Amino acid sequence: MTEYPPFAVTVDLVVLTVREDELCILLVRRGVPPYHGRWALPGGFVGIDEDLADAAARELTEETGVPEPIGHLEQLGTYGTPGRDPRGRVVTVAYLALLPDLPPPVAGTDAAAADWLPVSRIADAELAFDHDVILAAGLERARAKLEYTPLATAFCPAEFTIARLRTVYETVWNRQLDPRNFHRKVTGTPGFVEPAGRVTEGDRGRPAQLYRRGSADLLHPPMLRPSVTRG
């Protein structure tokens, strides 16, 4: 007998993308108890010899069919309130993933369904476990990081227009941004983006310059979030 009580460790993922100009979250509908039939964040138990980040990537694939993140994955926080899981003492390590638009996910073996859902549609939904708390933390982390890092580019394909990048900011922040001021700030911030050497093809109107993420890890000056939401 050990003097320490046993407990389990899980990983849960807040996976965000921008689809059809809406900020969307990847959710799975639980196919097993507890909370059978309720929407939840994708995740699961960590193996005894498994690294936390490896577990997060594995669970993302197993539960949804989405490949390992091609955008950005970072640890979000740890949640261990007693009673958060009716199966026993469970501590979860949450991860935040920011991804470009991907095909519809495929539910894994213990999920009844998986889907990208607009964040605006689940604001009042009751998620399983304490996933509403984790989701709220992930959304605020993503919105804040767009102010001082170039992580908005994680929502974009490898090459993108400034207009596409502005759509990401407007969607994630739910703010309307002035196109000219935005273009000036993005192209004038050292290391934010760099020209890809190509322009868009096949679009109506004048071809637009394509860019890719630059070398900066932090933005100076930062892209400050406007205080007024868009209508």
Side-chain angles (χ1 to χ4, degrees), residues 11 20 25 31 36 38 44 51 55 63 68 74 106 110-112 137 142 162 164 178 183 192 197 200 212 214 218:
V11 290
E20 299 179 353
I25 176 74
H36 181 269
R38 190 175 294 183
D51 183 78
E63 296 236 23
E68 292 188 21
E74 68 175 63
V106 179
D110 58 353
I162 298 299
R164 175 58 185 166
D178 180 79
H183 191 287
F192 191 170
T200 55
R212 52 178 172 257
L218 298 174

Side-chain angles (χ1 to χ4, degrees), residues 25-161:
I25 176 74
L26 182 60
L27 293 179
V28 296
R29 191 178 292 280
R30 289 186 58 79
V32 297
Y35 302 107
H36 181 269
R38 190 175 294 183
W39 287 110
L41 300 173
F45 289 94
V46 178
I48 192 68
D49 295 318
E50 192 173 30
D51 183 78
L52 289 170
D54 292 339
R58 173 183 58 76
E59 284 293 339
L60 184 60
T61 299
E62 286 182 1
E63 296 236 23
T64 65
V66 173
E68 292 188 21
I70 57 176
H72 173 77
L73 180 67
E74 68 175 63
Q75 194 172 122
L76 174 64
T78 304
Y79 299 81
T81 301
R84 61 173 299 275
D85 190 324
R87 293 169 294 188
R89 186 74 170 99
V90 180
V91 174
T92 195
V93 181
Y95 281 79
L96 173 66
L98 310 179
L99 305 180
D101 190 11
L102 294 171
V106 179
T109 56
D110 58 353
D115 203 359
W116 295 105
L117 298 179
V119 169
S120 59
R121 279 178 45 194
I122 62 170
D124 298 324
E126 187 176 356
L127 302 181
F129 306 103
D130 53 357
H131 289 181
D132 55 339
V133 176
I134 299 174
L135 173 56
L139 289 172
E140 182 51 36
R141 172 77 67 86
R143 288 164 176 154
K145 282 223 157 184
L146 263 59
E147 296 192 64
Y148 63 91
T149 76
L151 284 180
T153 58
F155 289 107
C156 298
E159 295 182 355
F160 50 85
T161 64

Side-chain angles (χ1 to χ4, degrees), residues 158-161 193-199 208-213:
E159 295 182 355
F160 50 85
T161 64
V193 297
E194 58 185 34
R198 301 192 315 113
V199 297
Q209 175 75 52
L210 287 169
Y211 293 83
R212 52 178 172 257
R213 177 175 172 168

